[in-house]
Amino acid sequence: MTDYNLIFGAVLLFNILVTFRASSYWKKYFPDGVSTSEGGKQEEDPSPLIGGGDKEGESTDLEDGGSKNENTSSAASDAAADIRHSQLLRKYLAVYLLAAFSDWLQGPYVYALYDAYGYSQHDIAVLFVAGFGSSMVFGSFIGGMADQGGRRRFVILFSIIYASSCMTKHFKSFSILMLGRLLGGIATSLLFSVFEAWLIGAHANANVMSHLGKSFSMAQYGNSIVAILAGQIANKAASYAEFKPTSEDSGFYLGGYLGPFDISLISLIICGLLASSLWEENKGESSNDDDSKPGESSATGALKGAFAATIRSPDIYTCGIISSLFEGSMYIFVFMWTPALTALAKEEMGDAFEGLPFGVIFSTFMVCCMAGSSIFSIAMEKMKPEQLAVIVFGVASCAFLMVVFSGSATSTFLAMNLFEMCVGMYFPSMGTMKGMIVPEDKRAAIYNLFRIPLNFIVLFSLLTDLTPRVSFILCGMMMVVATLLQMQLKSRRISA
């Protein structure tokens, strides 16, 4: 029998250790252990000159003095950049983590809510397909509109659209629920493109692009924390009040599984207000080789320009294919880990099986993601993100191989945790690479183009009746392809 609590404790301890290693406290208490490649500026103590009365000694003193002045100036510049980055990161995380929190609150209860309304599995599948289809269709051009209209403005629009989607959940009407799924698909496209585009643009404006990897690592770490909190809060909210209509013949419901959506609604309102007050507006800077023609609508022109820029650059389209393969496998993993672990547990325990501790399992996955983001920060002291990504995809391939051929629930769960650590390393790695590869003036538009093949992969997994084992084989194959493509991307980027 798998001891999920013991594994959670071990993973939590490991996360604490790697988080401390990645923190500034490690550098404070163990300065000799910090690699010089991280900041590239470890000062050496100047050796005292003995018998310095000659001109050569005076010349050396002058040179040392000039070197000290340069070091002092460089240290002051670095300190100023650190301050700017800290201020920027606080502003970003205050808004982004609220958006992520609202998204995590809703995820586990969408299916349960539709089922509570009495809809069939086929109707629920139609609603889910509509959501992913909406993300694929509307997301293809809404990112370009954000680049031109302003990313902060579209973050506020995200809050309004997603909040409206939450409000539709109170109605038992299929058409209103369908409208909510369409709005949710648009909001999802904005969540996974505009926030990141704003962050990179803000780093460029503040002249702290060297801190970008750290920002993505912190965002992923915080995202994992709010996921755990959201799971606990949503569980309490879903059981707080009875699920019932406001009146006997009313189609408007309150309580039950609607609780998490109501908390999400409040979070989204606060998210929009904070974005409007804390964030400065930034847009995609226009470029001379813009492929949109005068007279075309902003959405159409931005979409054409983003597509042309993607096709012209092997680095951009390779990056897009890799991200779609990894994130597609991640979504399939989300759909399949529950039936896979349940089947193994039933096989091992037989009639003694009473269910899995899903809360502990989910928390373990999120702690693994946190550990992965800390490992990314440590690895960046000696490696480039292109190099680390090759290792991430290779390890993810091995993790799925272990899941496919594992014969026990314990080894399968450990392999799944290994993949979740890869997820924690993937997002800051890919975010940093995209920040360097994708042109600023088309960033949000290209990010949404990346999501088109991703949504095809997700729709394929929803519309086909694949077993968990076949699904994980598919994920492993996608990871192998992603590894090979990343090796090509690494060789081009590093040799350039």
Side-chain angles (χ1 to χ4, degrees):
M1 178 180 176
T2 305
D3 192 336
Y4 291 100
N5 289 311
L6 176 63
I7 295 175
F8 172 75
V11 169
L12 182 62
L13 178 61
F14 176 74
N15 174 60
I16 292 172
L17 293 175
V18 295
T19 299
F20 175 70
R21 171 59 183 84
S23 70
S24 58
Y25 292 103
W26 174 270
K27 300 169 188 175
K28 178 180 178 181
Y29 294 112
F30 302 97
D32 294 337
V34 179
S35 172
T36 57
S37 62
E38 178 189 15
K41 294 179 181 177
Q42 279 195 324
E43 295 181 11
E44 297 179 2
D45 293 331
S47 301
L49 295 175
I50 301 176
D54 56 344
K55 292 182 179 181
E56 182 179 354
E58 293 174 2
S59 175
T60 305
D61 288 340
L62 290 174
E63 290 176 1
D64 288 346
S67 177
K68 290 178 181 179
N69 290 334
E70 290 177 2
N71 290 337
T72 302
S73 176
S74 177
S77 177
D78 290 344
D82 288 342
I83 293 173
R84 293 196 304 272
H85 174 254
S86 297
Q87 294 172 343
L88 169 60
L89 188 59
R90 282 195 294 269
K91 291 179 182 180
Y92 175 72
L93 291 180
V95 178
Y96 169 72
L97 292 182
L98 271 174
F101 178 69
S102 68
D103 190 54
W104 283 113
L105 282 168
Q106 300 179 47
Y109 294 95
V110 177
Y111 186 99
L113 177 63
Y114 295 155
D115 185 62
Y117 277 137
Y119 288 107
S120 66
Q121 188 172 0
H122 175 267
D123 290 336
I124 295 174
V126 170
L127 289 169
F128 271 88
V129 169
F132 285 107
S134 170
S135 177
M136 181 172 61
V137 174
F138 292 105
S140 62
F141 60 82
I142 200 169
M145 296 171 64
D147 286 329
Q148 297 182 0
R151 284 118 182 208
R152 184 190 70 167
R153 183 177 300 171
F154 272 73
V155 166
I156 297 171
L157 181 62
F158 154 83
S159 301
I160 296 172
I161 292 174
Y162 217 5
S164 300
S165 175
C166 291
M167 294 174 65
T168 64
K169 299 297 189 293
H170 285 272
F171 296 88
K172 194 179 178 180
S173 167
F174 186 84
S175 58
I176 296 179
L177 291 174
M178 175 64 74
L179 174 62
R181 287 297 297 171
L182 296 176
L183 292 174
I186 298 172
T188 300
S189 293
L190 291 171
L191 175 61
F192 289 100
S193 60
V194 178
F195 284 82
E196 189 172 319
W198 183 91
L199 178 65
I200 297 172
H203 274 68
N205 293 337
N207 197 25
V208 289
M209 284 297 289
S210 60
H211 294 69
L212 187 60
K214 180 180 179 181
S215 296
F216 279 119
S217 177
M218 291 294 295
Q220 178 61 27
Y221 197 93
N223 183 42
S224 301
I225 293 175
V226 300
I228 297 172
L229 292 176
Q232 299 299 318
I233 293 173
N235 185 55
K236 296 290 184 182
S239 57
Y240 180 75
E242 182 184 357
F243 180 69
K244 61 182 180 180
T246 53
S247 61
E248 188 173 341
D249 58 346
S250 173
F252 187 85
Y253 281 67
L254 295 172
Y257 294 132
L258 289 166
F261 295 94
D262 292 335
I263 298 176
S264 179
L265 173 64
I266 296 171
S267 300
L268 289 164
I269 293 173
I270 299 173
C271 173
L273 292 174
L274 287 179
S276 64
S277 60
L278 293 179
W279 285 14
E280 298 82 16
E281 188 61 275
N282 72 46
K283 303 179 181 180
E285 298 177 359
S286 60
S287 61
N288 296 328
D289 60 341
D290 196 340
D291 295 277
S292 58
K293 299 177 182 179
E296 288 183 318
S297 67
S298 59
T300 305
L303 177 59
K304 288 184 177 180
F307 181 76
T310 301
I311 294 300
R312 280 200 309 264
S313 171
D315 286 357
I316 295 178
Y317 67 69
T318 301
C319 198
I321 295 171
I322 291 170
S323 63
S324 294
L325 290 173
F326 187 92
E327 293 174 34
S329 69
M330 184 182 68
Y331 277 108
I332 294 175
F333 173 82
V334 170
F335 298 149
M336 292 298 175
W337 71 260
T338 298
L341 287 179
T342 300
L344 286 170
K346 286 182 177 179
E347 183 180 337
E348 291 179 358
M349 301 179 64
D351 295 336
F353 177 73
E354 297 180 352
L356 293 174
F358 291 112
V360 175
I361 293 172
F362 177 76
S363 297
T364 306
F365 286 160
M366 291 301 100
V367 172
C368 285
C369 284
M370 294 163 64
S373 64
S374 294
I375 293 172
F376 166 82
S377 297
I378 297 170
M380 282 302 94
E381 296 177 3
K382 296 183 178 180
M383 303 176 68
K384 293 181 180 293
E386 293 89 349
Q387 297 170 314
L388 177 61
V390 173
I391 298 175
V392 171
F393 300 140
V395 173
S397 303
C398 295
F400 280 118
L401 184 68
M402 293 166 61
V403 171
V404 170
F405 291 102
S406 172
S408 69
T410 299
S411 58
T412 298
F413 183 54
L414 292 174
M416 289 178 174
N417 285 318
L418 181 61
F419 173 70
E420 287 290 344
M421 285 190 187
C422 293
V423 172
M425 289 185 280
Y426 162 79
F427 280 104
S429 300
M430 181 56 69
T432 305
M433 284 193 295
K434 289 191 293 187
M436 296 182 293
I437 293 172
V438 177
E440 177 65 21
D441 61 314
K442 302 177 180 68
R443 186 174 300 282
I446 292 176
Y447 283 8
N448 274 300
L449 284 181
F450 288 174
R451 292 186 62 80
I452 293 178
L454 165 63
N455 283 304
F456 271 118
I457 294 173
V458 174
L459 288 173
F460 173 79
S461 66
L462 286 174
L463 297 174
T464 55
D465 191 20
L466 299 178
T467 64
R469 189 172 189 273
V470 173
S471 298
F472 291 136
I473 291 174
L474 177 62
C475 291
M477 292 171 61
M478 289 194 293
M479 287 299 91
V480 171
V481 175
T483 304
L484 296 175
L485 290 175
Q486 182 61 39
M487 291 172 66
Q488 294 179 0
L489 180 62
K490 182 199 75 171
S491 62
R492 286 200 302 264
R493 297 288 299 173
I494 293 181
S495 62

